[in-house]
Amino acid sequence: MPVTETSHNEDTKTLTMVAQFAAPPERVWDVYADPRQLEKVWGPPTHPATVVDHDLVPGGRVTYYMTGPEGEKYYGLWEVTAVDAPVSFSFRDYFADENFDIAQSLPGSANTYTFTADGDGTKAVYTSVFDTAEGLKTVLEMGVVEGATAAIGQIDDLLAER
C-alpha cells in the first residue's frame, strides 16, 4: 500500500495522509490532471468514481459521483483554488447533491495535495483542513481514512499501466 502515514489533529482540524509512489511527480500529477485516470482512483474499489466536469485551474470545478455496490450515488465537488503543476494543487472539497449543489449538512474542507520527488519516486502529501473539529470527527466516523487509503492504494496499479 502506498499510504505510509495518516494523522489527524482536532485542535488544528487537520487530516494528513502521506503516500509513496514509484513514479516521478509529473506522472503522479497526471493521475489528478486527467479525469479518466482520476476516476480510476478517486473512490475506493467498492465505490468507483465518475468524473462529470474536470477543470483543474484556479477558479475551476471538478464534479463527480461515486457509485456504491447497490447502485447508490454519492456526489461531490471541488472548487479549485490554486494549481502549481506538477507540484501541487489546492481546492475546497464538498459533499453535494445530484445537481452538484453543496450539501450544507455535511462538512467541507480546504485541501492541498503536494507531489515531491523522493529518490526515484514521489512523496505525496494530502492535507485536509476542516471548517470545524466536528466536521473532522464526522468524516473520521464516516471512514474517510479507510476509504482514502483504499482509493490511494489503486494509484500504484494505474502508474504501472503506463
Side-chain angles (χ1 to χ4, degrees):
M1 284 300 248
V3 174
T4 60
E5 177 185 337
T6 61
S7 62
H8 67 274
N9 182 316
E10 290 183 18
D11 293 334
T12 61
K13 305 172 288 221
T14 303
L15 171 63
T16 303
M17 300 182 78
V18 179
Q20 287 289 145
F21 300 106
E26 296 81 7
R27 177 63 190 101
V28 177
W29 172 266
D30 288 344
V31 170
Y32 294 90
D34 176 355
R36 299 298 70 91
Q37 291 183 64
L38 179 60
E39 63 190 10
K40 291 180 181 181
V41 302
W42 185 246
T46 58
H47 289 72
T50 300
V51 175
V52 178
D53 296 301
H54 187 276
D55 192 16
L56 192 61
V57 298
R61 281 173 47 120
V62 174
T63 59
Y64 64 90
Y65 60 89
M66 293 182 287
T67 304
E70 303 299 320
E72 65 278 23
K73 291 186 174 22
Y74 303 94
Y75 298 86
L77 68 99
W78 301 350
E79 292 179 343
V80 181
T81 56
V83 175
D84 182 15
V87 176
S88 68
F89 68 99
S90 299
F91 60 98
R92 290 281 311 168
D93 188 22
Y94 298 102
F95 293 91
D97 65 18
E98 64 277 357
N99 297 314
F100 297 109
D101 293 323
I102 296 169
Q104 300 296 332
S105 62
L106 291 168
S109 59
N111 296 263
T112 299
Y113 290 6
T114 61
F115 311 107
T116 307
D118 187 23
D120 291 336
T122 298
K123 177 181 179 181
V125 179
Y126 305 94
T127 305
S128 302
V129 180
F130 289 82
D131 297 333
T132 64
E134 292 74 26
L136 172 60
K137 288 180 194 175
T138 296
V139 298
L140 290 172
E141 290 169 2
M142 292 170 72
V144 71
V145 170
E146 297 81 3
T149 299
I152 293 167
Q154 300 171 109
I155 293 175
D156 277 344
D157 287 343
L158 184 60
L159 295 174
E161 289 177 10
R162 298 186 177 233

